[in-house]
C-alpha cells in the first residue's frame, strides 16, 4: 500500500516538475491583471489583444506557411531519398544513413550559424554576377527544409524496410511502370511513415527558434523569433497567451505523430 | 509442343562475385509444363527472375519468340509471374488486385468485370470480389495471385514455388488445380520447386539443377528411371547408389556380387555408379537371392514397408509390401532392367556435386 502510494506520488512529483513552468504560463495567460504579482480574475483579454496585433499575426502566418512548405518539400525530398537509400547495398546504405543522421545530432546553433555562413558565401558568389541573397522568407524556408530532411528519412525508412518488395515486382510484372507501381503499391504501404514524417517536420519547423534566428533577415519573423524580440523589450501578458497557443499546437501535433501510426499498425495486426 | 518459345542461351549470373548460374542453356517449348527442380540455393529463383526481367544476366541472352528480350523491363514482357511469397496488394480488394494489370492496359469496365468473374471462377473463388487479401487463407491468396496473373493473358506463366507455404493436402489439391488450369488456358508454365514429388506429378519436362548447373533435362519418367548421375538419382526419390565395376556389357559387379543388367558400351572393368530404386529390390529366401543379408530396420510407411537390409557391407534401402521382421535372413534380387548404370562424374563441377551430397 505504502509502496504503491510512493510510486504514484513519485510519478506525480516528476510531472509537476516537468509541467509546472508551462502550467504557470498557461494560468497567467488567463490572468486579468497585468502584473504577475496578483490574480485579477479569469480573462481572455490577452488572447483578444494578441489577435489584434498585426506584427504577431504576420509572424503567425509566416510560421504556418514556412512550417507547411518546409514540411511538404522535406517530405517529398526525404521520401525520394529513402527510396534511393533503401535500394542501396547494405554497406553503402549504412554509410549514407549515418551521413543523414549527423545533422540531427549536430547542435542547432552550429547548424544555424553554418547555414547563415553558407547563405552569405553563396550571396557573395552571386554578387559577382550581379545577383544577391536577401535573408528573409526564402532563407528561413531553405534552412527549415534542411533540418527537417533527416527526420522525414528517419520516419519513412523503417516503413520502407517492411514493405514486401515482391508486391512492387508483382506490379511491374503485370504491366505497371516503375513510377506507377511506386504510387500504387509502395506509397500506400509507407503512408503512415510519410505522414508522421510530415507532421514531425511541421512540428519541428513550427517551434524552431535557433536556426530561424540565424537565417532570418531583419523585419521577417516567425512566432518564436517574434516572441523572443518582444520579450527582450519587456514581458507582456500577450506573450503568455501566444506561448500557450504555441505549446498547445505543438502538443497536439506531437500527440498525432505519436498515436496515429501506432493505431494503424494495431488495426492491421 | 513443337517450336521453341523461350531460349536461354549461355546465361551466367553472379552475385557479389559468387557464381550462381554458370553458362546455363535451356529452351522451353510452347505449351509445355516445365519444372526447374533442385535443392535450395541452386539458382532456380534466379533463373526465373532472369526470365521475368527482374535480374539481368551477366552474360547470355533470353530469346522469346525469336526476339532477344534480355534487356526488356518486366512490364514490357509477355510473361507473368506468381511469386514465392503471395505478393498481393494488401490495401486493395481482391477485385482491384485482379483488375490492376487490366486497368493499366486501359481495358473497358465491362471487359474488366467479365475478366474478374472469369478468373475467380477459374480458381474456384467466386464471390470473393470485395474481400481483402488479409482475410483469405494462404491457399486462397495464392489462387488470387494466379488469377491476377492470368487475366493479362500471358504467353507464359512463371511460378516460383507457389505451393511452398501450403500444407500437404492443400498442396495436392492445388497441384491438380494447376494442371487443370494449364490445360484450360493452354499456356506455357515454368514452374519452380524443390519438391521432387510435385515435379514428377505435374511436369512435362523436368530440369534438375544443382549449384547453378543443369544436371539433367527430361520427362519425369526419364528422370526417375534413368538418372544420368548420382546427384539426380539421389535427389529424385530414395535410391541405393553404390560403387560398382562394369565387368563387361550387361554384367556389373556390385559389392563383390555379379548382377546381370541391360547396359552396354561402358567398356570392360570400368568403375561406375549403380542406382537401384528401393522398390525394385525383391526380397526372397536367402538361397534364392543374388546376395544375402539381414534385415536391420523396419518402418511401416502406409502403402509399403521400408526396410534396411545389411548385405555385403552396404545398407540396402528396400520397399516392399511384404513384411520381413528385423533379424530375418533374406536374399536380394534385382531384375536386370531395374539396374541403372551411370558413368562416374568426370568434370570437377560434377565431382563437387557428388561429394556435397
Ligand atoms: N539479390 C541477391 N544478392 C546476392 N545473392 C543472391 C541474390 N539472389 C540470390 N542470391 C544467391 O544466389 C543463390 C541462388 O539463389 P536462388 O534464389 O536462385 O536459389 P533457389 O534455387 O531459388 O533457392 P530456394 O529453393 O531456396 O528458393 C543463393 O546462394 C543466393 O544466396
Ligand atoms: Mg527460390
Amino acid at each position: 500500500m505504502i509502496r504503491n502510494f510512493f510510486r504514484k506520488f513519485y510519478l506525480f512529483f516528476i510531472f509537476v516538475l516537468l509541467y509546472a513552468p508551462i502550467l504557470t504560463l498557461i494560468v497567467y495567460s488567463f490572468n486579468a491583471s497585468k502584473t504577475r504579482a496578483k490574480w485579477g480574475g479569469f480573462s481572455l483579454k490577452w488572447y483578444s489583444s494578441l489577435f489584434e496585433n498585426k506584427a504577431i499575426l504576420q509572424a503567425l502566418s509566416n510560421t504556418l506557411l514556412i512550417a507547411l512548405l518546409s514540411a511538404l518539400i522535406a517530405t517529398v525530398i526525404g521520401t525520394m531519398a529513402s527510396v534511393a537509400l533503401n535500394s542501396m547495398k547494405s554497406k553503402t546504405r549504412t554509410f549514407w544513413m549515418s551521413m543523414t543522421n549527423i545533422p540531427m545530432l549536430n547542435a542547432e546553433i552550429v547548424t544555424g550559424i553554418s547555414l547563415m555562413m553558407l547563405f552569405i558565401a553563396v550571396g557573395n558568389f552571386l554578387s559577382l554576377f550581379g545577383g544577391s541573397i536577401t535573408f528573409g522568407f526564402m532563407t528561413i524556408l531553405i534552412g527549415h527544409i534542411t533540418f527537417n530532411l533527416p527526420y522525414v528519412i528517419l520516419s519513412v525508412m523503417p516503413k520502407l524496410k517492411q514493405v514486401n518488395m515482391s508486391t512492387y515486382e508483382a506490379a511491374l510484372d503485370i504491366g505497371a511502370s516503375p513510377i506507377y507501381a511506386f504510387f500504387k503499391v509502395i506509397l500506400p504501404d509507407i503512408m503512415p511513415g510519410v505522414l508522421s514524417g510530415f507532421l514531425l517536420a511541421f512540428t519541428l519547423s513550427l517551434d524552431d527558434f535557433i536556426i530561424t534566428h540565424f537565417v532570418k533577415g531583419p523585419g521577417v519573423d516567425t512566432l518564436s523569433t517574434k516572441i523572443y524580440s518582444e520579450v527582450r523589450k519587456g514581458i507582456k501578458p500577450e506573450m503568455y497567451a501566444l506561448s500557450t497557443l504555441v505549446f498547445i499546437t505543438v502538443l497536439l501535433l506531437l500527440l498525432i505523430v505519436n498515436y496515429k501510426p501506432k493505431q494503424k499498425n494495431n488495426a492491421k495486426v | 509442343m513443337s517450336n521453341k518459345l523461350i531460349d536461354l542461351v549461355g546465361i551466367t549470373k553472379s552475385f557479389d562475385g559468387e557464381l550462381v548460374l554458370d553458362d546455363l542453356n535451356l529452351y522451353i517449348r510452347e505449351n509445355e509444363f516445365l519444372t526447374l527442380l533442385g535443392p535450395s540455393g541452386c539458382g532456380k529463383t534466379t533463373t526465373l527472375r532472369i526470365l521475368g526481367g527482374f535480374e539481368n544476366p551477366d552474360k547470355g541472352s533470353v530469346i522469346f519468340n525469336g526476339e532477344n528480350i534480355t534487356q526488356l523491363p518486366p512490364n514490357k514482357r509477355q510473361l507473368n509471374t506468381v511469386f514465392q511469397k503471395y505478393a498481393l496488394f494488401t490495401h486493395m480488394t481482391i477485385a482491384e488486385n485482379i483488375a490492376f494489370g487490366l486497368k493499366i492496359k486501359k481495358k473497358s469496365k465491362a471487359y474488366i468485370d467479365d475478366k474478374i468473374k472469369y478468373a475467380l471462377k477459374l480458381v474456384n473463388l467466386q464471390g470473393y470480389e470485395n474481400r481483402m487479401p488479409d482475410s483469405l487463407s494462404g491457399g486462397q491468396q495464392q489462387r488470387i495471385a494466379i488469377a491476377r496473373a492470368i487475366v493479362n493473358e500471358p504467353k507464359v506463366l512463371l511460378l516460383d514455388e507457389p505451393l511452398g507455404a501450403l500444407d500437404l493436402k492443400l498442396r495436392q489439391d492445388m497441384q491438380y488445380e494447376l494442371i487443370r488450369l494449364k490445360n484450360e488456358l493452354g499456356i506455357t508454365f515454368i514452374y519452380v520447386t524443390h519438391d521432387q514429388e510435385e515435379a514428377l506429378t505435374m511436369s512435362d519436362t523436368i530440369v534438375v539443377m544443382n549449384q547453378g548447373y543443369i544436371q539433367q533435362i527430361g520427362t519425369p519418367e526419364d528422370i526417375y528411371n534413368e538418372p544420368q548421375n548420382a546427384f539426380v538419382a539421389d535427389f529424385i526419390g530414395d535410391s541405393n547408389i553404390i560403387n560398382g565395376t562394369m565387368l563387361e556389357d550387361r554384367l556389373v559387379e556390385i559389392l563383390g556380387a555379379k548382377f546381370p543388367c541391360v547396359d552396354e558400351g561402358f567398356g570392360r572393368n570400368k568403375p561406375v555408379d549403380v542406382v537401384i530404386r528401393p522398390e525394385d529390390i525383391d526380397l526372397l529366401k536367402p538361397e534364392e537371392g543374388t546376395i544375402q543379408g539381414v534385415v536391420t530396420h523396419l518402418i511401416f510407411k502406409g502403402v509399403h514397408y521400408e526396410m534396411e537390409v545389411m548385405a555385403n557391407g552396404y545398407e540396402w534401402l528396400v520397399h516392399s509390401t511384404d513384411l520381413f521382421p528385423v533379424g530375418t535372413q533374406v536374399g536380394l534380387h534385382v531384375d536386370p532392367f531395374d539396374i541403372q548404370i551411370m558413368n562416374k562424374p568426370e568434370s570437377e563441377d560434377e565431382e563437387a556435386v557428388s561429394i556435397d551430397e
Side-chain angles (χ1 to χ4, degrees):
Chain A
M1 270 297 282
I2 291 177
R3 261 181 78 170
N4 228 334
F5 169 78
F6 272 107
R7 260 190 217 159
K8 290 217 170 104
F9 177 77
Y10 182 71
L11 192 69
F12 175 75
F13 183 68
I14 294 286
F15 272 94
V16 168
L17 281 186
L18 279 175
Y19 284 92
I22 204 85
L23 270 176
T24 322
L25 181 92
I26 293 174
V27 170
Y28 273 109
S29 75
F30 295 108
N31 186 0
S33 150
K34 200 177 168 86
T35 72
R36 270 159 287 168
K38 68 170 202 286
W39 180 250
F42 180 85
S43 154
L44 287 174
K45 74 174 173 191
W46 305 121
Y47 286 87
S48 61
S49 77
L50 180 70
F51 285 105
E52 278 154 22
N53 186 331
K54 282 264 163 55
I56 299 257
L57 289 182
Q58 180 60 47
L60 176 70
S61 89
N62 282 344
T63 307
L64 290 178
L65 201 59
I66 286 169
L68 192 69
L69 283 178
S70 71
L72 264 180
I73 297 170
T75 305
V76 173
I77 300 178
T79 306
M80 294 198 301
S82 306
V83 172
L85 282 167
N86 192 50
S87 63
M88 284 176 182
K89 293 220 169 94
S90 91
K91 263 189 198 158
T92 354
R93 179 172 57 226
T94 316
F95 173 76
W96 286 110
M97 276 301 280
S98 0
M99 289 297 279
T100 56
N101 285 342
I102 288 168
M104 271 190 298
L105 306 173
N106 222 346
E108 263 191 82
I109 191 150
V110 177
T111 312
I113 293 176
S114 37
L115 273 170
M116 179 182 76
M117 301 295 291
L118 176 71
F119 289 137
I120 291 173
V122 174
N124 287 341
F125 178 73
L126 286 182
S127 69
L128 297 177
F129 310 97
S132 69
I133 280 193
T134 25
F135 280 75
F137 189 87
M138 279 314 283
T139 48
I140 302 176
L141 184 62
I142 293 171
H144 282 215
I145 294 171
T146 309
F147 76 71
N148 277 336
L149 258 178
Y151 293 93
V152 174
I153 294 176
L154 198 69
S155 61
V156 174
M157 272 310 271
K159 283 278 161 218
L160 209 51
K161 279 198 189 144
Q162 286 169 17
V163 170
N164 176 0
M165 272 302 155
S166 53
T167 59
Y168 172 70
E169 291 188 338
L172 293 186
D173 189 68
I174 48 182
S177 66
I179 295 198
Y180 185 84
F182 172 78
F183 279 105
K184 280 286 182 177
V185 177
I186 308 252
L187 195 58
D189 272 3
I190 59 170
M191 210 51 194
V194 174
L195 276 182
S196 69
F198 172 82
L199 285 174
L200 196 61
F202 186 80
T203 314
L204 288 169
S205 165
L206 211 58
D207 73 351
D208 174 74
F209 168 72
I210 300 175
I211 293 170
T212 316
H213 181 71
F214 283 102
V215 298
K216 83 184 192 68
V220 184
D221 269 307
T222 64
L223 277 184
S224 54
T225 60
K226 187 74 192 163
I227 292 173
Y228 179 72
S229 55
E230 289 290 317
V231 167
R232 280 212 302 192
K233 284 184 243 160
I235 299 183
K236 283 191 254 159
E238 279 113 327
M239 290 304 113
Y240 304 154
L242 185 54
S243 306
T244 302
L245 289 178
V246 172
F247 170 73
I248 287 175
T249 317
V250 171
L251 184 73
L252 283 179
L253 284 173
L254 281 178
L255 286 181
I256 297 174
V257 172
N258 286 330
Y259 283 99
K260 200 171 172 200
K262 274 190 199 138
Q263 274 170 358
K264 272 221 157 166
N265 278 350
N266 287 346
K268 264 194 180 171
V269 168
Chain B
M1 281 255 285
S2 47
N3 46 331
K4 289 185 192 176
L5 182 62
I6 301 175
D7 209 350
L8 293 174
V9 188
I11 300 285
T12 300
K13 176 80 185 169
S14 42
F15 290 109
D16 311 318
E18 199 157 319
L19 205 57
V20 172
L21 296 177
D22 191 4
D23 191 29
L24 180 125
N25 291 288
L26 175 67
Y27 64 86
I28 297 120
R29 280 168 299 201
E30 202 160 340
N31 219 351
E32 190 170 13
F33 194 127
L34 180 133
T35 300
L36 302 177
L37 174 68
S40 191
C42 72
K44 306 180 297 283
T45 299
T46 307
T47 310
L48 213 62
R49 289 174 62 80
I50 288 173
L51 278 167
F54 301 107
E55 303 282 359
N56 276 325
D58 302 335
K59 264 193 248 147
S61 38
V62 184
I63 314 288
F64 181 81
N65 248 342
E67 199 184 326
N68 189 333
I69 59 162
T70 318
Q71 300 300 327
L72 208 64
N75 50 331
K76 302 262 159 53
R77 297 192 181 196
Q78 282 178 305
L79 310 114
N80 284 145
T81 311
V82 176
F83 290 84
Q84 198 162 0
K85 293 172 255 163
Y86 310 130
L88 293 182
F89 309 135
T90 45
H91 53 278
M92 296 182 199
T93 64
I94 297 308
E96 286 166 339
N97 264 278
I98 298 175
F100 192 89
L102 301 172
K103 279 189 186 145
I104 292 168
K105 297 188 184 84
K106 304 247 158 41
K107 302 287 188 191
S108 73
K109 172 117 181 29
Y111 178 89
I112 293 178
D113 287 347
D114 270 3
K115 272 284 186 188
I116 294 174
K117 275 237 172 59
Y118 163 78
L120 284 177
K121 183 144 181 270
L122 211 56
V123 297
N124 268 330
L125 288 173
Q126 291 105 314
Y128 277 67
E129 282 88 345
N130 295 318
R131 296 276 290 267
M132 296 305 280
D134 284 355
S135 73
L136 266 54
S137 74
Q140 291 169 334
Q141 290 190 33
Q142 196 55 282
R143 279 187 273 172
I144 296 301
I146 293 166
R148 182 179 65 182
I150 57 181
V151 289
N152 302 292
E153 299 174 357
K155 284 255 173 62
V156 181
L157 199 59
L158 310 173
L159 302 108
D160 192 355
E161 305 201 25
L163 312 182
L166 308 182
D167 64 53
L168 185 64
K169 179 77 182 68
L170 192 54
R171 201 155 70 217
Q172 285 166 348
D173 291 348
M174 284 293 291
Q175 288 172 5
Y176 288 109
E177 294 271 307
L178 280 173
I179 295 171
R180 176 183 63 81
L181 256 176
K182 184 187 168 293
N183 293 337
E184 265 174 53
L185 295 168
I187 55 181
T188 310
F189 271 39
I190 302 178
Y191 193 92
V192 163
T193 183
H194 59 250
D195 179 340
Q196 42 102 7
E197 255 181 65
E198 197 167 285
L200 292 172
T201 321
M202 302 174 77
S203 327
D204 298 321
T205 306
I206 296 178
V207 179
V208 184
M209 293 175 69
N210 191 33
Q211 301 188 346
Y213 294 94
I214 293 180
Q215 301 289 328
Q216 185 171 358
I217 304 179
T219 64
E221 289 82 5
D222 284 349
I223 301 268
Y224 189 83
N225 293 328
E226 281 149 47
Q228 275 169 14
N229 60 37
F231 173 79
V232 177
D234 190 41
F235 194 71
I236 308 284
D238 301 319
S239 271
N240 296 289
I241 304 172
I242 315 162
N243 290 323
T245 309
M246 203 66 187
L247 295 176
E248 59 192 63
D249 279 355
R250 293 187 296 278
L251 187 64
V252 63
E253 183 187 300
I254 311 166
L255 306 167
K258 289 179 182 141
F259 284 80
C261 61
V262 294
D263 296 79
E264 300 177 353
F266 283 85
R268 288 178 162 269
N269 296 322
K270 176 107 193 297
V272 287
D273 281 327
V274 181
V275 176
I276 301 172
R277 295 282 176 197
E279 65 272 24
D280 291 336
I281 299 174
D282 301 320
L283 295 184
L284 309 165
K285 292 197 188 104
E287 61 277 13
E288 288 169 14
T290 318
I291 54 174
Q292 287 71 39
V294 60
V295 178
T296 55
H297 284 97
L298 171 71
I299 306 168
F300 179 57
K301 283 275 189 164
V303 272
H304 61 256
Y305 294 98
E306 184 176 296
M307 282 164 278
E308 278 170 20
V309 178
M310 186 49 123
N312 291 19
Y314 181 83
E315 288 255 270
W316 298 72
L317 190 68
V318 181
H319 291 173
S320 168
T321 46
D322 299 328
L323 172 69
F324 293 84
V326 172
T328 316
Q329 293 285 335
V330 290
L332 282 76
H333 170 82
V334 188
D335 284 333
F337 49 84
D338 284 332
I339 296 180
Q340 167 74 15
I341 310 287
M342 299 173 311
N343 275 315
K344 290 270 183 195
E346 280 161 15
S347 74
E348 270 179 36
D349 300 318
E350 280 180 67
E351 195 77 70
V353 165
S354 56
I355 288 167
D356 259 13
E357 296 308 314

